[in-house]
Amino acid sequence: DPQTGSGALGPDGGEWPAAQTRALFDDVDDYTVWDGTRVLQQKDGTPIDLRRYRRVVTVIYLDSQDPVSPSAGETDYKLITVTVLEGAEVAGVFRTVRVRGGRDVDYAG
């Protein structure tokens, strides 16, 4: 976390208010609690009518020595998975790896 330096996954204190807005998220692992059921919007604010879809985000640490395996503790690698659901069916999955001090790396697996 850029403010607290915490290695815990998920939002830190004050980043997940009662309104459940993601506006206060300040690093990628805050999204590990995000279950996006809000209406999607274009950049200009125009709503996209995809109410039958929802997004679920998970973030886990990856092993530094074997970056395709989960890690039990904090590492420099985070795997971000966004799953798009249509009802109970998986409509799509996107995965990427975020490296501390680096940039996003596409992840196939």
Side-chain angles (χ1 to χ4, degrees), residues 95-107:
R95 291 182 181 96
T96 191
V97 174
R98 181 72 181 188
V99 180
R100 186 188 322 249
R103 56 189 250 285
D104 291 335
V105 178
D106 286 337
Y107 179 86

Side-chain angles (χ1 to χ4, degrees), residues 60-71:
I60 63 168
Y61 282 113
L62 293 176
D63 188 301
S64 296
Q65 303 304 310
D66 181 18
V68 295
S69 298
S71 172

